[in-house]
Each structure stands twice: as structure tokens, then as C-alpha cells.
Amino acid sequence: MTLKEKDTQYIWHPYTQMQLNPNVIPIVKGEGAHLFDEDGNRYIDAVSSWWVSIHGHANKYIADRVYQQLLQLEQVIFAGFTHPSAVELAERLLKHLPENQKKVFFSDNGSTAVEVAMKMAFQYFHNQGIERKKIIAFKDAYHGDTFGAMSASGRSIFTAPFTPFLFDVVHIDVPTKDKEGDVVKEFVKLIEKEDVAAFIFEPLILGAGGMMMYEKSVLDKMLMYAKAAGVITIADEVMTGFGRTGRMFASDHLEVKPDIMCLSKGLTGGTLPMGLTTCANFIYDAFLSDEKSKALFHGHSFTGSPVGCAAALASLDLVEKLEFYENIKRIESALHVFAASLFGNKKIFDIRHKGIVLAIDIKTSESTGYLNSSQQEIVNFFLQRKIILRPLGNVLYLMPPTVISDEDLNLVFDAIREFLK
């Protein structure tokens, strides 16, 4: 049997209606911004393989660091033990995070990083005997696929089968330009009731919700009100972290810093799964007690994985190089010029750009959303031109690796122009 045939026989793929999409493309090699299939075809990975491969594929420096770690220590239980790579990663990463971030909790992926954050927020009040059980989030948010993360996410096709099992969350509109004032007013009314534990948000860009974007000024205002009301603020930087918005973290754009931050995806340069939840000291201090019951009872078998930490440290080495930010500025500038060239196109409903993320809403006769049938049309069009995109329904977006060349960017731009004709 071929690789495709064996895959069809054995594997169930994520976010895929298997009856409609039985065929997959077998990828056998990666190099920089390119992926190669078993027939030798080369594809431009314009979405960083689900937003993780910030340095491109098969980065030799990261691979060598992982190899050396495997020869030294591959795993150790992280309850009651530690290891050099975890300590170094926490120490170095905290220097890049907002100054109020002081403690690092390790987990396995973005969803669990969010789960940990919400557990921290809920138990912070529980440990003090305070009744605060509500979470505020955006209607179009996506925070992950575990049950707590789904609860915080907007209600959609991602959560529909599980709605009866999700805990209640107060969802408010995203504060886009036309809604800023109304959203802030509603937010203030909600937190004045003194039963809100936390406000969780994707800063500046909502990922899977359609790459919706909003201004830092309105988020600063909401965070200011939240802190004044004693509401814990949680920034889900799983997608926006590590340069996506033009700065190391989206929170770096803000004047008011979150109390808790969730990291994953680009953390290891797309090499290995790992999640981190960082927090301010006042949250950590609420768990310190002579009572064992006040500890944070959450963990994973691979918490603090030495191999994952080695990949993250290697990725951080690359992030700290001047070249990384020069590439971000180069891509950001190219996207800005390209976006400006598309204004007025009759097939576009909206176009927006932040950092190295570009989103284009394609006009369609159907209702917008993830199930919009134009998704497959877009995918097929670009695959024929050896470009990998994964639109969110009718939202075509780019989020390339920082190593993508100007030549490849122009090939992608030309293909988009062709699609829009």
C-alpha cells in the first residue's frame, strides 16, 4: 500500500471530515519555509504549519541541541525534581516577559496552558475563601480543545457537541473599532458585580475565530478596569507570542500587563510540544500554605520535559539574534505594502494586518464562518500552486515562518492576486 492508502486505513486527522477529505498529502521532508512531499514536490508553508514553525522546518541548530539533550537526560519526574534546562528556560524567558511575570508552570500544549491559567485564577480566590466563579471572554475567542479551554472559547462548531458539559462563561463582543465604547461599558458593568474571577483574552488578534483584530488602547482600558476590580487578567499568547505581532509578545504593545500569560506553539520553534503558564507573584503567593490542599494540583507526565526545554532554549537563542527581528520587520513591511495594493478589490470584504499576520475576508454568498464552503476552494487553488494555506472558512490568512524569502513571499502574493481576479 502507498503512504496515502495506509494513512486512510489507520489514521483519524484533526479538524477533518474524513468522508469528504480521504486523501492527504504525504510530507517527507522540511527545509526552511518549504515542505516536500513523497513525489518531490516543494510547497511554501505560508501558515508556519499551524503557526508553530517560527524559524522554519528542520532547523539544524535546534535539532543539534535536542540531540545533545537526549544524550544527557531525556526525562525526569518534575514533582520534587528539576533539571538545568528547565531552570535556564524559566530564567531566560522571564527576562523577555513583562516585569510582573515571576513564576513559570510547565505543561504540554496551548490548551493545557490555558487550563492551568484558569485553574490558577479560580483557586487563587478559593484558597482565600472568596467566592468568585465567573470568567469573561470574547464571543469569537478560541482558547483550545480541552473542556476548560472550550468553555472559555466562543460557542461555535468547535464546541457545539459539548455545550451541555461546559461551564458558564460570560462572553462579550470583540472590541473592534465600531464596538469599542459599548464593549467597555458592558465589561465595566460585569466586573462591578464582584463575582468575576478572571478575564481571558487573545491580545490584539483572535486566531481561529477569524483573525479578528482590535486596538491595544481599548484592551489597555479593559485591563485597567479589571485590575481595579480585582479581576485576574489572562493573556492567551499561544498564537501571538514570539514575534507574530511585530514584538516578542502581543502584551509588549500594552501599557497594562496581564497577571497570567499562556505560551506554546512558537515556544520550541515548532519542534516539540510544550506549554507554559506564567504568573505574577501575588498569584503564586496565594498557593503557599502549610495546608497541602492549597497546592496547585495539576501536572502531566512530560511536565518540564528536558528535551522540550532544550528545543525551547535553542529557539530562544535564535529569537535573541538580530536577524530574527530584521526578518519580522522585512515581512511586516512586505505584508503592509501588499495589503495596501488590495484595497478596493471587489472580491474582498475586509483586509487587516498586524505584524507578520495578514487576514483577508473573501466575499461570499454564504454566511461567514469556519464551515463556509469557500474554504476548500481556497485550499485547492493554492495547493495547485504548491502553497500551503489553511483558511478559516472564507478568511484567507498568511502567517509565514520568519525565514521565508522575499521571492517566496512574492510567489504567495501573486497567487493571491490571481485568486482574487
Side-chain angles (χ1 to χ4, degrees):
M1 286 194 295
T2 66
L3 203 57
K4 281 186 180 181
E5 290 170 338
K6 288 183 178 181
D7 181 278
T8 300
Q9 182 171 345
Y10 303 127
I11 295 178
W12 188 347
H13 288 270
Y15 298 102
T16 303
Q17 176 45 263
M18 300 302 292
Q19 184 163 304
L20 299 176
N21 299 276
N23 295 315
V24 295
I25 298 173
I27 297 298
V28 297
K29 180 184 175 182
E31 183 179 348
H34 301 133
L35 291 167
F36 299 82
D37 67 19
E38 62 180 354
D39 297 321
N41 294 306
R42 188 185 77 170
Y43 299 82
I44 300 172
D45 183 359
V47 292
S48 302
S49 285
W50 258 343
W51 324 339
V52 301
S53 300
I54 59 174
H55 308 296
H57 297 282
N59 184 281
K60 188 177 185 304
Y61 179 75
I62 298 177
D64 287 344
R65 287 289 298 270
V66 168
Y67 172 67
Q68 293 302 322
Q69 181 65 56
L70 282 167
L71 295 178
Q72 184 71 28
L73 175 68
E74 88 298 344
Q75 174 64 5
V76 61
I77 182 174
F78 210 57
F81 296 86
T82 191
H83 57 85
S85 293
V87 173
E88 183 184 353
L89 177 59
E91 182 180 27
R92 286 181 58 190
L93 190 59
L94 285 172
K95 292 177 182 178
H96 288 279
L97 289 163
E99 288 186 358
N100 69 330
Q101 300 298 294
K102 299 298 185 184
K103 297 293 181 181
V104 176
F105 193 97
F106 288 82
S107 62
D108 293 4
N109 55 58
S111 296
T112 53
V114 169
E115 294 280 332
V116 170
M118 291 194 292
K119 281 187 170 183
M120 284 179 176
F122 284 133
Q123 193 173 342
Y124 168 81
F125 291 107
H126 176 80
N127 280 0
Q128 300 174 77
I130 300 171
E131 286 287 317
R132 288 204 180 198
K133 298 180 179 179
K134 284 186 179 177
I135 296 274
I136 299 177
F138 291 132
K139 288 180 181 177
D140 297 284
Y142 171 83
H143 293 292
D145 292 332
T146 50
F147 273 83
M150 280 196 297
S151 295
S153 301
R155 300 299 177 257
S156 65
I157 61 164
F158 298 108
T159 61
F162 317 107
T163 298
F165 313 106
L166 305 180
F167 60 78
D168 288 335
V169 169
V170 180
H171 287 100
I172 60 176
D173 286 332
V174 179
T176 49
K177 279 286 188 183
D178 56 329
K179 297 178 180 177
E180 285 184 355
D182 291 338
V183 172
V184 171
K185 286 179 183 177
E186 181 184 4
F187 184 73
V188 170
K189 285 183 180 179
L190 288 169
I191 61 177
E192 283 177 344
K193 296 178 182 178
E194 297 185 348
D195 58 354
V196 176
F199 167 45
I200 185 169
F201 56 94
E202 296 162 272
L204 307 186
I205 307 175
L206 276 70
M211 296 297 163
M212 299 178 70
M213 300 182 188
Y214 62 104
E215 295 299 318
K216 62 180 181 180
S217 56
V218 69
L219 183 54
D220 266 328
K221 191 177 294 185
M222 295 173 74
L223 295 179
M224 179 185 68
Y225 284 124
K227 286 179 180 291
V231 173
I232 291 174
T233 54
I234 303 171
D236 179 351
E237 293 245 22
V238 169
M239 183 272 282
T240 54
F242 302 98
R244 294 303 188 192
T245 64
R247 296 192 181 182
M248 181 69 159
F249 300 104
S251 296
D252 291 338
H253 294 276
L254 303 173
E255 295 296 326
V256 185
K257 305 304 183 183
D259 302 314
I260 298 176
M261 295 176 67
C262 307
L263 311 176
S264 189
K265 290 197 180 292
L267 174 63
T268 66
T271 306
L272 289 165
M274 174 170 279
L276 293 181
T277 308
T278 68
C279 70
N281 265 337
F282 80 90
I283 292 175
Y284 175 78
D285 290 345
F287 290 78
L288 299 179
S289 173
D290 292 331
E291 300 175 43
K292 289 185 178 180
S293 62
K294 290 189 175 181
L296 179 58
F297 287 99
H298 188 103
H300 303 267
S301 300
F302 292 96
T303 291
S305 161
V307 184
C309 288
L313 283 167
S315 177
L316 197 55
D317 287 344
L318 299 176
V319 165
E320 290 173 347
K321 290 182 178 294
L322 179 62
E323 181 184 0
F324 181 76
Y325 290 98
E326 288 177 340
N327 278 329
I328 286 175
K329 289 178 181 178
R330 173 179 60 85
I331 297 168
E332 186 174 18
S333 177
L335 293 181
H336 178 76
V337 172
F338 176 62
S341 75
L342 295 181
F343 279 111
N345 189 294
K346 294 181 180 180
K347 287 195 174 182
I348 295 176
F349 175 73
D350 187 32
I351 185 167
R352 52 203 173 276
H353 161 241
K354 180 72 177 176
I356 58 174
V357 181
L358 174 72
I360 303 170
D361 293 349
I362 307 299
K363 284 184 180 177
T364 175
S365 58
E366 302 173 40
S367 59
T368 59
Y370 197 81
L371 294 179
N372 190 288
S373 62
S374 63
Q375 180 186 49
Q376 198 58 48
E377 176 192 353
I378 296 171
V379 169
N380 292 339
F381 179 90
F382 287 94
L383 280 178
Q384 288 170 8
R385 289 149 183 82
K386 302 299 183 286
I387 297 169
I388 297 175
L389 296 179
R390 188 175 174 85
L392 300 160
N394 65 309
V395 180
L396 186 162
Y397 71 90
L398 301 180
M399 196 186 299
T402 59
V403 296
I404 192 170
S405 67
D406 291 336
E407 180 184 3
D408 281 342
L409 272 177
N410 286 327
L411 287 173
V412 176
F413 294 161
D414 288 343
I416 294 175
R417 289 190 185 99
E418 184 183 353
F419 177 79
L420 293 171
K421 284 183 179 178

